[in-house]
Amino acid sequence: MTERRRPHPFLWLWYAIGGRLPDEHRTWVLHDVTTRSWLWRHAARASVLLLPLMLVWLLLPGPLTLRLSLVLMAGLVGFFYSLVYAEESGENRLRKHGYPYGTGRQVRTRARDEAEREVKERYLARYRRPE
């Protein structure tokens, strides 16, 4: 397996708005979409898109309470839809970087199954002693 290279901040911003990274970052993209914190990473990428829009709406003329309400509602709706389609978005990112569709789900499922197997083995070793 090749070394996982993290993109520099400008490349990460490009990636966050949907751009394709160079091939040297391919394994990092797989890690980004399949690690335990993949959903938090997705929320961070969504923030890159939503926060500038929310800032613009906050600077619109009008009563502060109305602007804050608009920003709050837009943020909630934006994050809601972003998180609803997080898995699909991750699969599309992987496909864009040369992985077959479904790779992210398979890797996360395999990791979850491995973690559950380890927990079960520790449980059995601790509480199910042979008689």
Side-chain angles (χ1 to χ4, degrees):
M1 188 165 160
T2 60
E3 181 184 347
R4 189 171 63 216
R5 267 190 77 198
R6 182 182 196 92
H8 59 74
F10 292 117
L11 265 181
W12 185 87
L13 281 174
W14 172 246
Y15 170 73
I17 62 171
R20 186 182 185 288
L21 293 176
D23 286 338
E24 63 198 33
H25 301 288
R26 188 172 185 262
T27 55
W28 179 84
V29 172
L30 179 63
H31 170 76
D32 183 54
V33 177
T34 59
T35 189
R36 272 186 8 193
S37 60
W38 75 275
L39 204 51
W40 289 107
R41 290 168 175 257
H42 176 80
R45 288 189 305 269
S47 298
V48 168
L49 297 173
L50 291 173
L51 290 178
L53 290 172
M54 293 166 62
L55 180 63
V56 168
W57 290 324
L58 189 61
L59 298 175
L60 289 175
L64 181 61
T65 54
L66 178 63
R67 290 181 287 157
L68 288 174
S69 299
L70 174 64
V71 167
L72 177 65
M73 184 56 73
L76 289 174
V77 169
F79 278 112
F80 172 77
Y81 278 104
S82 174
L83 292 173
V84 164
Y85 292 106
E87 190 168 335
E88 188 71 24
S89 174
E91 292 297 339
N92 285 330
R93 284 181 188 281
L94 288 173
R95 189 171 42 82
K96 193 181 292 186
H97 288 86
Y99 292 98
Y101 189 84
T103 300
R105 183 178 295 126
Q106 289 174 352
V107 171
R108 285 190 301 270
T109 300
R110 203 172 351 166
R112 186 190 67 236
D113 292 347
E114 177 69 21
E116 288 175 359
R117 184 185 60 74
E118 289 173 4
V119 168
K120 182 179 179 182
E121 286 175 0
R122 284 196 314 264
Y123 173 83
L124 291 174
R126 184 172 192 169
Y127 295 108
R128 304 289 184 194
R129 297 187 178 122
E131 295 179 24

